[in-house]
Amino acid sequence: MTTTERPTPPLQADPVTTLAGWLDFYRATLVGRCDGLTDEQLRAAPVAPSPISLLGLVRHLAAVERNWFRSVLAGEEIAPLHGREPGTGHSGGFELDGTGIAEARASWEEEVAHARRIVAAAGPAGTGSLDGHEVSLVWVLTHVIAEYARHCGHADLVRERIDGRTGV
């Protein structure tokens, strides 16, 4: 992965623009945590007993983007990228297969681009459906930001254990 400058979320904007700005900030944070590492390092799970790796986080967050924006918000009938995490019902991707960072990054970038198009098309009053209940675009953006914030914290720990690097 290559470094992406972390954009500063707007200080004065409407709620959707502000939330989209924070989401882009966390997306760039994830890329920064992976920057400069080999495939082998990205596969490492150095925070025992957790099996979380940076590659697994990229794969998982591609699945998060796909599920929340394409399935929930846009109502697209799509297959999960990686199935579901056993026993959780959550989007998969943490378990590693033969996929390397180039393929995982391409999949993640594709889902991010698709998500941005869906958000733009939905507009501020956009809604989707979650378990038969109407859900707002603002709610979905907030939820996905929370996912990224939590997993970027995991990425901080994993990266620090790999090579001592902290921050972006």
Side-chain angles (χ1 to χ4, degrees):
M1 296 183 100
T2 58
T3 301
T4 299
E5 182 97 12
R6 286 197 306 181
T8 301
L11 300 177
Q12 295 286 326
D14 62 88
V16 171
T17 302
T18 300
L19 292 170
W22 276 106
L23 182 53
D24 283 339
F25 174 87
Y26 283 113
R27 287 168 172 155
T29 299
L30 174 69
V31 170
R33 296 304 183 260
C34 297
D35 186 41
L37 297 177
T38 65
D39 237 36
E40 183 180 332
Q41 289 172 311
L42 291 164
R43 290 177 172 283
V47 187
S50 174
I52 290 177
S53 67
L54 291 169
L55 178 58
L57 286 168
V58 172
R59 287 169 41 89
H60 174 70
L61 287 165
V64 166
E65 297 264 359
R66 182 180 182 91
N67 179 57
W68 286 99
F69 292 108
R70 293 176 73 165
S71 182
V72 173
L73 195 58
E76 293 179 25
E77 293 199 21
I78 51 166
L81 278 178
H82 317 291
R84 299 280 180 208
E85 289 294 313
T88 69
H90 294 109
S91 300
F94 288 119
E95 60 286 320
L96 300 182
D97 54 18
T99 303
I101 191 58
E103 185 180 344
R105 172 79 184 261
S107 176
W108 176 78
E109 287 176 349
E110 180 181 325
E111 294 303 331
V112 167
H114 204 95
R116 287 184 175 129
R117 289 190 297 273
I118 289 168
V119 169
T127 62
S129 179
L130 177 62
D131 298 327
H133 301 282
E134 188 174 67
V135 61
S136 72
L137 170 60
V138 168
W139 193 97
V140 170
L141 284 167
T142 302
H143 178 80
V144 174
I145 289 166
E147 281 271 338
Y148 267 91
R150 177 174 51 254
H151 292 315
C152 283
H154 297 142
D156 288 341
L157 293 172
V158 171
R159 179 63 189 251
E160 186 174 7
R161 295 289 296 167
I162 291 171
D163 68 358
R165 182 173 168 207
T166 59
V168 170

